[in-house]
Amino acid sequence: AQTVTQSQPEMSVQEAETVTLSCTYDTSESDYYLFWYKQPPSRQMILVIRQEAYKQQNATENRFSVNFQKAAKSFSLKISDSQLGDAAMYFCAYRSSNSGGSNYKLTFGKGTLLTVNP
Amino acid sequence: ETGVTQTPRHLVMGMTNKKSLKCEQHLGHNAMYWYKQSAKKPLELMFVYSLEERVENNSVPSRFSPECPNSSHLFLHLHTLQPEDSALYLCASSRSVVNYGYTFGSGTRLTVV
């Protein structure tokens, strides 16, 4: 079974600075998807960025980028120019790319609470 | 508005009560999910429906009973719950179970007293 580990329960960053959130995962599969979700106080889970494991290039979405190290099974999220609105819980998630069985489910880490200080 | 609407937003119920959580989406998605989010724990998948057919029951106790009358609506019927069932219950939908584009609702915060 796949597992996702986020080793930082809480992180803080100064506004306009850069912060990196860590995520490691364990899988025996070679093809899969990885995601970072943001959950603000409104509670809705919002997709921040996703990475396909077969792609070597790291995904980027504006101020958000990932460092995907497939061999190390590491998937960190970098937030540049942090803004007050970035404050939220951030969840790393894994999904198999295989369509059979119950491989469609998302496996989540426990989350990292990010505080942005003005 | 997220596209996935959950009601009620908050619910407090006694252990002998019966209540239902509702989830609604009009995104044209064919798959719907219930997740449980407890403090200090990863989100746990509870149920998956694809085209109104349940395709996953992730070892959930029978005091939780899902219902999917059509592809736009998903319910979670609750009865004789325990205090440890207190959690945030999140609904999500996707175009199909093989599509990874989830849209989540804002959840129902359930407290069992």
Side-chain angles (χ1 to χ4, degrees):
Chain A
Q2 294 82 18
T3 58
V4 177
T5 302
Q6 293 178 249
S7 59
Q8 306 153 316
E10 298 184 24
M11 290 282 285
S12 64
V13 63
Q14 290 297 125
E15 196 175 4
E17 297 292 310
T18 296
V19 65
T20 298
L21 308 184
S22 301
C23 173
T24 59
Y25 58 94
D26 188 26
T27 183
S28 59
E29 298 178 327
S30 60
D31 199 15
Y32 45 86
Y33 304 105
L34 295 165
F35 307 85
W36 278 99
Y37 279 88
K38 168 185 177 182
Q39 188 179 40
S42 67
R43 306 184 322 207
Q44 187 206 358
M45 298 282 275
I46 301 167
L47 179 64
V48 174
I49 198 165
R50 73 167 180 263
Q51 174 82 40
E52 289 89 345
Y54 66 86
K55 291 186 177 179
Q56 292 188 343
Q57 187 173 8
N58 289 325
T60 62
E61 287 288 341
N62 301 313
R63 297 182 295 107
F64 298 87
S65 61
V66 299
N67 183 4
F68 174 47
Q69 301 290 326
K70 190 172 184 179
K73 297 180 182 175
S74 170
F75 182 61
S76 61
L77 174 70
K78 186 171 82 171
I79 305 174
S80 304
D81 186 25
S82 297
Q83 301 176 0
L84 295 177
D86 295 333
M89 280 289 287
Y90 285 82
F91 293 93
C92 179
Y94 170 102
R95 184 192 185 280
S96 171
S97 66
N98 296 323
S99 58
S102 61
N103 292 328
Y104 40 73
K105 74 174 186 181
L106 285 175
T107 300
F108 287 85
K110 291 184 178 181
T112 296
L113 179 62
L114 178 66
T115 302
V116 180
N117 301 310
Chain B
E1 188 59 48
T2 70
V4 176
T5 303
Q6 290 188 244
T7 55
R9 188 165 173 80
H10 301 274
L11 178 63
V12 179
M13 61 184 289
M15 288 189 284
T16 58
N17 291 158
K18 291 184 180 181
K19 296 286 185 183
S20 296
L21 310 185
K22 180 181 177 181
C23 177
E24 184 174 355
Q25 60 89 9
H26 295 288
L27 301 169
H29 290 173
N30 291 319
M32 297 186 77
Y33 312 79
W34 280 116
Y35 276 86
K36 177 183 179 181
Q37 185 177 14
S38 305
K40 311 294 185 185
K41 293 176 67 175
L43 273 77
E44 303 169 60
L45 178 66
M46 300 176 72
F47 300 105
V48 181
Y49 275 82
S50 175
L51 294 171
E52 301 133 52
E53 179 181 341
R54 190 190 311 179
V55 297
E56 175 92 4
N57 177 347
N58 204 27
S59 301
V60 179
S62 60
R63 57 185 184 269
F64 295 91
S65 175
E67 178 190 2
C68 188
N70 55 63
S71 59
S72 298
H73 294 86
L74 183 66
F75 295 89
L76 188 62
H77 303 300
L78 316 171
H79 63 97
T80 59
L81 294 192
Q82 304 298 312
E84 59 265 28
D85 297 322
S86 299
L88 180 67
Y89 289 84
L90 290 165
C91 174
S93 70
S94 63
R95 193 171 301 166
S96 72
V97 292
V98 299
N99 183 282
Y100 52 70
Y102 276 41
T103 301
F104 282 87
S106 297
T108 294
R109 174 72 66 189
L110 173 68
T111 303
V112 182
V113 298

